[in-house]
C-alpha cells in the first residue's frame, strides 16, 4: 500500500524535472508550465491508481506526455518559433576545448523531429533507461535507441561536430548499440 | 526485475535517476553535457509561484 503523504511529496519533488521535460513539447516557458500544471492536477487526482513498487517517475512523465498529446489532438498547435528548447541563457565560458555556445546547442535541439528530441531528453537528460523511456513513449526499446542515435547524429551535423565529439561513430558505442540486453544499453555515452 | 525497482522511491528528493552507472559514462560526451546543462538550467530555476500555490492547495486538500 502506497503511503499517500509520501507519494504526494514525491510528486512535488519531481515538479522541477517535469518543468524541464515539458520543454520538449513547448519551448515557450509559460506554455510548458501550463502543461505541467495540467499534468500535476491529473497525477494528483489519480495518485490512488498508482501501483506501489512500480516506477513513479516514469508514471509522472507518462502523464505529462499523454496530457500533451491530448492537448495536441484538441488544438493542433503550430510549431512555436522560439530560440531554443530550454531557452538556455547561460553565459558561462565553455570549459571544454571544443567551444560550443549553449544557446547554439539549445537552438539545434529545436531542429530535431519531436520524437527524436523527446527520446534524447528522456535518456540523456531526465536519466531514464531505454526501457523506461520506451515505457513512457509507448514504443519499442529499439525505437527509442534508434531515435536517440538519430538525434545525436543530426545534432552533430547541425553543430558540425567531429565524430568523436558526438559519440555516435565511436566503435564502442556502435557495438553497445548492437548488443542485446537491458540496462547496459544506457551506457551509450561511453567514449 | 529491472533497474527501476532498485531506485530509491519517495525520498522527497527530486534527484533524477542518473545513477552512478549511467552518469559517469555520459560525462565525456559533448552532446550529453550540453543537453544536461540546458535541462538542469530549468530544473534549478526557483519554482514559479503558480506551482507553489497549486501544490500548497493540493496538499491542503482543496481543489
Amino acid at each position: 500500500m502506497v503511503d499517500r503523504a509520501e507519494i504526494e511529496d514525491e510528486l512535488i519533488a519531481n515538479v522541477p524535472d517535469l518543468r524541464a521535460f515539458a520543454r520538449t513539447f513547448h519551448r515557450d516557458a509559460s506554455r510548458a508550465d501550463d502543461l505541467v500544471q495540467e499534468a500535476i492536477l491529473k497525477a494528483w487526482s489519480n495518485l490512488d491508481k498508482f501501483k506501489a513498487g512500480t516506477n513513479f517517475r516514469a508514471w509522472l512523465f507518462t502523464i505529462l506526455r499523454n496530457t500533451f498529446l491530448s492537448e495536441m489532438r484538441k488544438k493542433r498547435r503550430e510549431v512555436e518559433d522560439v530560440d531554443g528548447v530550454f531557452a538556455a541563457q547561460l553565459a558561462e565560458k565553455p570549459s571544454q576545448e571544443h567551444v560550443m555556445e549553449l544557446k547554439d546547442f539549445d537552438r539545434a535541439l529545436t531542429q530535431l523531429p519531436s520524437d527524436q528530441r523527446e527520446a534524447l531528453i528522456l535518456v540523456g537528460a531526465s536519466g531514464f533507461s531505454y526501457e523506461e523511456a520506451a515505457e513512457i513513449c509507448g514504443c519499442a526499446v529499439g525505437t527509442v535507441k534508434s531515435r536517440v542515435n538519430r538525434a545525436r547524429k543530426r545534432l552533430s551535423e547541425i553543430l558540425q561536430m567531429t565524430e568523436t565529439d558526438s559519440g555516435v561513430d565511436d566503435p564502442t558505442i556502435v557495438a553497445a548499440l548492437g548488443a542485446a540486453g537491458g540496462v547496459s544499453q544506457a551506457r551509450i555515452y561511453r567514449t | 526485475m529491472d533497474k527501476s525497482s532498485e531506485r530509491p522511491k519517495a525520498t522527497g528528493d527530486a534527484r533524477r535517476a542518473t545513477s552512478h552507472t549511467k552518469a559517469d559514462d555520459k560525462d565525456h560526451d559533448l552532446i550529453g553535457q550540453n543537453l544536461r546543462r540546458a535541462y538542469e538550467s530549468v530544473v534549478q530555476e526557483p519554482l514559479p509561484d503558480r506551482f507553489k500555490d497549486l501544490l500548497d492547495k493540493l496538499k491542503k486538500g482543496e481543489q
Side-chain angles (χ1 to χ4, degrees):
Chain A
M1 187 70 185
V2 178
D3 179 83
R4 175 79 194 199
E6 206 178 277
I7 206 178
E8 285 177 0
D9 288 342
E10 196 174 354
L11 194 162
I12 292 167
N14 271 289
V15 171
D17 254 77
L18 289 171
R19 290 190 69 228
F21 178 54
R23 301 297 177 89
T24 310
F25 306 115
H26 292 297
R27 278 79 119 211
D28 173 66
S30 71
R31 278 168 77 173
D33 283 347
D34 288 344
L35 178 61
V36 174
Q37 182 150 337
E38 259 196 76
I40 289 171
L41 288 168
K42 207 164 280 179
W44 197 279
S45 64
N46 286 290
L47 278 179
D48 55 334
K49 299 202 182 73
F50 172 72
K51 288 183 204 134
T54 62
N55 190 331
F56 185 67
R57 225 172 142 254
W59 185 78
L60 287 178
F61 274 60
T62 305
I63 288 176
L64 191 144
R65 187 177 184 273
N66 289 340
T67 304
F68 170 71
L69 291 176
S70 54
E71 169 190 297
M72 270 255 299
R73 281 191 287 271
K74 285 180 204 160
K75 292 176 188 177
R76 291 191 181 229
R77 290 195 185 274
E78 288 171 19
V79 173
E80 294 150 55
D81 178 34
V82 291
D83 284 333
V85 172
F86 299 105
Q89 298 180 10
L90 303 178
E92 60 198 79
K93 272 192 163 171
S95 55
Q96 300 299 117
E97 189 186 8
H98 303 285
V99 171
M100 184 194 306
E101 285 286 334
L102 193 60
K103 272 196 304 209
D104 293 336
F105 179 83
D106 206 30
R107 201 175 295 124
L109 281 174
T110 68
Q111 294 177 44
L112 293 177
S114 60
D115 60 347
Q116 288 179 24
R117 180 172 57 249
E118 178 185 34
L120 182 69
I121 287 170
L122 282 172
V123 172
S126 300
F128 289 103
S129 66
Y130 286 113
E131 289 75 12
E132 289 167 333
E135 196 185 304
I136 292 165
C137 297
C139 65
V141 174
T143 305
V144 175
K145 289 177 187 175
S146 72
R147 284 174 185 171
V148 170
N149 196 29
R150 274 187 265 132
R152 297 168 68 74
K153 257 199 149 74
R154 184 82 192 101
L155 281 174
S156 65
E157 284 164 16
I158 294 167
L159 297 162
Q160 294 174 317
M161 298 163 79
T162 65
E163 290 176 354
T164 6
D165 293 340
S166 69
V168 168
D169 293 279
D170 185 291
T172 314
I173 288 137
V174 171
L177 279 175
V183 171
S184 62
Q185 291 312 303
R187 292 173 177 271
I188 183 178
Y189 302 111
R190 179 184 289 126
T191 53
Chain B
M1 191 176 103
D2 64 9
K3 212 169 157 55
S4 62
S5 55
E6 297 167 44
R7 192 169 306 114
K9 294 186 289 289
T11 56
D13 185 347
R15 199 73 48 227
R16 297 192 307 289
T18 44
S19 64
H20 315 299
T21 56
K22 291 195 280 267
D24 312 323
D25 293 325
K26 291 177 182 177
D27 285 348
H28 300 287
D29 166 67
L30 214 54
I31 286 178
Q33 278 178 50
N34 279 284
L35 184 67
R36 280 185 297 284
R37 271 165 69 202
Y39 185 90
E40 282 300 311
S41 72
V42 178
V43 173
Q44 277 158 30
E45 283 172 14
L47 207 59
D49 286 342
R50 64 185 292 185
F51 291 110
K52 287 190 203 153
D53 295 344
L54 172 65
L55 294 168
D56 222 48
K57 282 197 187 127
L58 289 172
K59 253 297 192 188
K60 287 176 182 155
E62 301 168 29
Q63 187 111 7

